[in-house]
Amino acid sequence: MLGHSPATPYTGTVNQTPAPLPDAPDYLQRLNPEQRMAIETTDGPLLVLAGAGTGKTRVLTTRFAHILLSGRARPYQILAVTFTNKAAREMRERIGTLLGEPVEGLWLGTFHALCARMLRRHAEYVGLSSGFTILDTDDQLRLLKQVIEPLRIDSKRWPPQGILGVIQRWKDRGLTPERVTPAEDCDFADGRCRAIYASYQARLVQLNACDFGDLMLHVTEILRTRPDVLAQYHRLFRYILVDEYQDTNTIQYLWLRLLAQREGQQSNICCVGDDDQSIYSWRGAEVENILRFERDFPGAAIVRLERNYRSTAQILGAASGLIAHNDGRLGKTLRPGRDDASGEKVRVASVWDSDDEARLVGEEVERLRAGGHRMSEIAILVRAGFQTRAFEERLIALGLPYRVVGGLRFYERAEIRDALAYMRVLNQPADDLAFERIVNVPRRGIGAVAMQKFHQAARDAGIPLTAAIGTMLERGEIKGKARDSLAALLNNLAQGREALPREGHVVVVDRLLEESGYIDMWKADTSIEAPGRLDNLKELVRALADFDSLGHFLEHVALVMENEESAGAERLSIMTLHGAKGLEFDTVFLPGWEEGVFPSQRTLDEGGLKGLEEERRLAYVGITRARHRAIISHAASRRIYGNWQSAMPSRFIEELPDEYVTTTGAASQTRSRGLGQAPVFSSAFPVTARRPRATDSADKGESRSGTALTVGTRVFHQKFGYGTVSSVEGNRLDVAFDKAGSKRLLDSFVEKAP
């Protein structure tokens, strides 16, 4: 069995130059030239730019085995870092398979697992003992609440989760409390976060505990401040292997650099990654880490893995053409590695609205399934979670089995269940189960004892909870904060019921969620999930507009929730683009490619050009998940709170090379009319939705049939009906529709009225 105890010095010979290989062993013969170069370049720093589907896992594991089999190092002298436990297990198993026997004594694992192992050895340098406890999120929050309680901080305005988020972001950037400068401090919690951080860390030491972020922070501090400990690891690790280097954050980068950079010595570090797939900046990843590899390690070799063994030439051509618009990249071009990789072009489908988009996807899935396509090899990849609703409902209507990967089905999400409970009580005051769910969401100062009294009063009088509470309020039996908050809630519900016939269920529900404080609760939440929850709530209100009454909508939801497929059935996958990284499917649907949706307007507003480039990388990741078939779609209009609003096709559609794309619907006219003209989004800082490029005349448009449109022309739209053109700007029209009001839309979506 291979392995060697790290406690015992290894006295055998370790080759410093490649061992002669008269005939390449089997494990090298099965590789392409670039993969083999990445494995056999063992001396000095090496960056392997591994494009999607190019076999990076195979390269990493084979390189590890090659170092061992060629006598360059013993198992414990290689530090191998992955991002997930699953990846670490897979690498361990593959190495064992290549070597023909299990391997022991490996320093192979995730960043945090490896740092936990190091910290157990050197805990005393940060005031801990080796038996320290690692706190989970719940324990961290409880401890933080204890720390901030004496400070009398308003927990509604500055929730502990938000303060903990600030602290964790500092830890991810390698900042101890002493290293947080005034410039890096923030206004959160009235500017007291740095002091809270220091108190929190001191309390952790008293408890002989650390949180997840401390594992890397403490070890990095030890390596920074204890040259003797750092020298020990320099002697121990002859080789360092790092997977998914493009996803490293600041603290991970600092830790690796400390271990790899050795004064006067060669750095045998190999980082494998793809700058074109760096899509996790929202959780601290820094694409700059991979871009500056050559500056960090002068003389580094770079090997590009560009032979893709997953996708067709058409898919690869479209993806490569798209990502080429990014400036912040090291550059590579994917090409097919299989002889049978011709395939069909990437399809771009233009539809009228989100319902048509869901119908198009559903019909295509039915057609594929009838032709023998496996459901498990089909995926719908969305930019944001709120987009799943329309597809879920369509698939249920068609009886097509599906699963939502990495999250709950739309109507199972906590915020959706809460909002539905508000609707149920609005629709039916006697729905005690729904009222129990919302009575203290957001918090209204109602505890378990108070709820027992309410239930008892309702049972004694034989009336619903809402009626019993109303009676108790009239009698003055409820005091303090609970009295005021319950009175406001019951008043909001009563006013909503009275307004339903007059204002309609969409307006009433929207107002109820606002006035109840439920929307404000999520707006005040600083967690990374909160913006997505707000988007989901907006989508729920949008869905209401498809039904003529609140009762009909709630009945529809109840039927949808009952429709569950058996766990063993083959199911289509619905997931976000972020969740799809590392996966692959025969057929991939990419819906919602519209400005503001994808690229995300929030990302553009917060990240500017840098955010746009990450959104483009996300689009690249989405396209390269497909083996044989990629179908992109965008809608001409979306319903926002019951009103139709026109939508612009994503700039990413325009950036797809024409030779790899086929279009259906009005998209084909939009693309073909623009050939040879400057792109719509071609400025140096294209971070907001722009107007389409002008055609031959600034005051003329062109209908779907090619007829010129001018101000005053009568037109027809399939969704909005008849209207009159009020202004023309390039191929964009303002139209005053007879029944739908004024709309702005592309000229290709209307016809000249007869």
Side-chain angles (χ1 to χ4, degrees):
M1 183 176 290
L2 269 174
H4 198 274
S5 170
T8 306
Y10 175 62
T11 56
T13 302
V14 176
N15 298 328
Q16 297 302 316
T17 55
L21 298 170
D23 294 309
D26 289 343
Y27 67 84
L28 290 178
Q29 289 179 348
R30 295 190 293 267
L31 304 170
N32 67 41
E34 296 82 17
Q35 290 174 331
R36 185 165 171 177
M37 184 182 299
I39 289 163
E40 294 187 289
T41 305
T42 53
D43 295 332
L46 171 67
L47 177 62
V48 180
L49 291 175
T54 57
K56 75 172 180 64
T57 304
R58 186 180 191 181
V59 166
L60 266 175
T61 54
T62 307
R63 180 181 173 88
F64 196 118
H66 178 67
I67 290 171
L68 296 180
L69 291 172
S70 59
R72 288 173 171 79
R74 304 294 273 175
Y76 65 87
Q77 294 175 314
I78 304 174
L79 176 68
V81 191
T82 66
F83 263 84
T84 66
N85 291 314
K86 180 182 177 183
R89 285 194 302 272
E90 183 180 348
M91 186 180 292
R92 189 183 300 271
E93 291 167 1
R94 288 197 184 191
I95 292 168
T97 300
L98 280 170
L99 298 176
E101 55 186 333
V103 187
E104 293 182 348
L106 297 181
W107 281 83
L108 166 60
T110 64
F111 282 94
H112 290 91
L114 292 168
C115 281
R117 184 174 170 184
M118 289 181 173
L119 190 56
R120 298 282 180 199
R121 295 181 168 197
H122 311 290
E124 68 276 8
Y125 294 127
V126 289
L128 302 174
S129 68
S130 60
F132 61 81
T133 301
I134 302 173
L135 302 186
D136 61 21
T137 303
D138 289 341
D139 287 336
Q140 292 170 38
L141 278 173
R142 287 215 316 275
L143 179 61
L144 186 63
K145 288 175 183 177
Q146 294 173 15
V147 170
I148 65 178
E149 186 177 1
L151 302 177
R152 299 187 180 279
I153 289 176
D154 185 351
S155 61
K156 287 187 176 179
R157 186 181 180 193
W158 312 113
Q161 295 91 331
I163 298 174
L164 188 62
V166 172
I167 291 173
Q168 293 305 328
R169 284 192 288 275
W170 279 335
K171 291 185 178 184
D172 286 344
R173 290 163 54 197
L175 300 175
T176 60
E178 300 76 24
R179 292 181 186 271
V180 177
T181 65
E184 287 159 331
D185 205 347
C186 64
D187 295 331
F188 202 83
D190 296 324
R192 289 187 281 179
C193 277
R194 184 167 49 155
I196 293 171
Y197 181 18
S199 299
Y200 173 72
Q201 291 300 101
R203 184 70 179 128
L204 283 170
V205 171
Q206 290 173 3
L207 297 172
N208 193 37
C210 65
D211 63 24
F212 207 58
D214 285 327
L215 295 175
M216 293 214 68
L217 182 69
H218 284 329
V219 172
T220 302
E221 275 301 297
I222 291 168
L223 297 179
R224 274 171 164 170
T225 59
R226 300 287 309 194
D228 55 327
V229 176
L230 180 59
Q232 177 184 335
Y233 285 107
H234 282 170
R235 290 191 299 270
L236 177 63
F237 300 133
R238 292 179 180 270
Y239 291 92
I240 298 175
L241 307 179
V242 187
D243 192 13
E244 303 286 8
Y245 189 59
Q246 78 281 349
D247 291 333
T248 53
N249 62 23
T250 301
I251 189 69
Q252 292 162 344
Y253 164 79
L254 292 172
W255 179 74
L256 284 170
R257 196 176 64 176
L258 282 164
L259 291 171
Q261 288 183 340
R262 309 172 185 200
E263 190 173 348
Q265 296 183 45
Q266 185 172 251
S267 298
N268 289 333
I269 181 171
C270 170
C271 293
V272 179
D274 184 1
D275 52 322
D276 292 335
Q277 295 189 73
S278 180
I279 59 174
Y280 296 121
S281 67
W282 49 274
R283 67 185 189 195
E286 297 277 357
V287 68
E288 289 80 7
N289 293 346
I290 193 170
L291 298 179
R292 63 172 170 241
F293 185 86
E294 289 180 281
R295 294 200 301 273
D296 289 334
F297 301 99
I302 295 182
V303 175
R304 288 174 168 81
L305 303 184
E306 299 174 311
R307 299 192 198 196
N308 177 286
Y309 295 93
R310 174 191 301 159
S311 305
T312 64
Q314 308 286 359
I315 290 170
L316 297 178
S320 295
L322 172 65
I323 200 63
H325 287 79
N326 270 7
D327 293 327
R329 61 191 298 258
L330 295 170
K332 63 184 173 305
T333 302
L334 294 179
R335 60 184 188 274
R338 307 193 322 260
D339 295 333
D340 60 343
S342 53
E344 60 186 66
K345 292 184 176 183
V346 172
R347 196 189 321 169
V348 176
S350 177
V351 296
W352 292 115
D353 55 35
S354 56
D355 292 335
D356 284 343
E357 188 174 51
R359 276 192 290 272
L360 175 134
V361 172
E363 289 168 2
E364 184 69 15
V365 171
E366 280 192 306
R367 186 185 68 80
L368 291 169
R369 191 188 195 191
H373 198 302
R374 294 180 60 189
M375 291 293 285
S376 61
E377 288 296 340
I378 302 175
I380 301 172
L381 308 183
V382 297
R383 174 61 183 87
F386 76 86
Q387 294 175 261
T388 69
R389 182 196 61 82
F391 299 105
E392 289 187 55
E393 295 200 358
R394 188 61 187 165
L395 294 171
I396 288 171
L398 295 173
L400 296 171
Y402 74 94
R403 61 178 182 145
V404 177
V405 179
L408 297 169
R409 293 152 80 105
F410 185 80
Y411 290 113
E412 293 172 348
R413 297 166 191 171
E415 67 278 10
I416 300 302
R417 285 185 174 273
D418 290 342
L420 289 172
Y422 273 99
M423 295 183 209
R424 285 167 54 188
V425 180
L426 179 67
N427 186 63
Q428 176 51 264
D431 192 336
D432 285 357
L433 290 175
F435 185 75
E436 282 185 68
R437 182 179 182 100
I438 65 169
V439 68
N440 218 25
V441 181
R443 291 183 180 178
R444 296 185 172 93
I446 300 154
V449 174
M451 284 303 300
Q452 288 176 3
K453 291 180 180 178
F454 300 158
H455 276 292
Q456 188 62 50
R459 282 194 297 270
D460 291 346
I463 57 177
L465 266 176
T466 52
I469 292 172
T471 300
M472 294 174 73
L473 286 169
E474 290 174 1
R475 294 174 180 170
E477 296 174 8
I478 303 174
K479 308 293 184 183
K481 176 185 176 183
R483 176 193 61 204
D484 297 337
S485 60
L486 283 171
L489 175 61
L490 294 184
N491 186 54
N492 288 337
L493 289 166
Q495 289 181 348
R497 290 188 200 100
E498 188 273 331
L500 274 173
R502 184 178 66 255
E503 299 183 33
H505 55 291
V506 177
V507 173
V508 170
V509 168
D510 183 36
R511 186 169 59 231
L512 175 62
L513 293 176
E514 286 281 359
E515 293 181 350
S516 66
Y518 189 72
I519 297 297
D520 285 339
M521 180 187 79
W522 287 116
K523 286 181 178 178
D525 191 311
T526 58
S527 69
I528 201 166
E529 297 87 5
R533 294 187 189 275
L534 287 167
D535 286 341
N536 291 339
L537 290 167
K538 291 177 185 176
E539 177 64 20
L540 180 67
V541 175
R542 280 198 286 268
L544 283 168
D546 293 332
F547 298 84
D548 57 9
S549 72
L550 182 58
H552 286 164
F553 173 73
L554 291 172
E555 180 179 309
H556 165 78
V557 172
L559 295 173
V560 167
M561 297 284 281
E562 281 296 311
N563 192 311
E564 282 287 346
E565 294 291 337
S566 62
E570 269 217 353
R571 292 176 289 176
L572 171 153
S573 296
I574 303 177
M575 68 187 79
T576 64
L577 286 159
H578 284 100
K581 186 168 177 289
L583 304 178
E584 55 188 77
F585 303 89
D586 286 346
T587 298
V588 169
F589 292 93
L590 298 161
W593 281 42
E594 299 138 27
E595 287 297 307
V597 177
F598 193 35
S600 158
Q601 191 61 49
R602 184 184 299 116
T603 300
L604 298 184
D605 292 342
E606 295 176 356
L609 183 59
K610 185 177 178 181
L612 173 61
E613 294 211 340
E614 178 153 334
E615 289 288 290
R616 191 177 284 112
R617 291 194 293 269
L618 193 55
Y620 169 85
V621 166
I623 295 173
T624 55
R625 298 311 94 195
R627 295 192 193 101
H628 305 298
R629 191 177 293 105
I631 302 169
I632 297 168
S633 58
H634 67 94
S637 56
R638 295 269 175 190
R639 181 145 45 191
I640 309 296
Y641 295 116
N643 296 315
W644 288 99
Q645 294 186 9
S646 59
M648 287 288 294
S650 170
R651 67 194 76 192
F652 299 151
I653 292 176
E654 190 176 70
E655 293 170 355
L656 297 170
D658 289 282
E659 61 267 32
Y660 302 113
V661 175
T662 181
T663 58
T664 60
S668 58
Q669 299 176 33
T670 303
R671 287 177 59 85
S672 63
R673 189 168 59 245
L675 291 177
Q677 299 182 15
V680 176
F681 306 103
S682 58
S683 75
F685 194 65
V687 297
T688 56
R690 308 287 184 80
R691 297 182 178 128
R693 52 179 166 266
T695 50
D696 294 337
S697 172
D699 59 353
K700 288 186 180 181
E702 190 174 278
S703 70
R704 297 174 68 194
S705 59
T707 307
L709 300 175
T710 58
V711 173
T713 303
R714 290 286 287 173
V715 295
F716 176 76
H717 187 284
Q718 287 193 5
K719 184 68 68 174
F720 305 136
Y722 288 95
T724 303
V725 176
S726 57
S727 71
V728 180
E729 193 170 1
N731 62 347
R732 187 153 187 161
L733 310 175
D734 284 326
V735 180
F737 288 100
D738 298 346
K739 295 183 178 180
S742 181
K743 307 290 180 187
R744 172 165 284 195
L745 67 167
L746 295 177
D747 54 18
S748 55
F749 290 103
V750 298
E751 299 174 352
K752 190 172 182 179

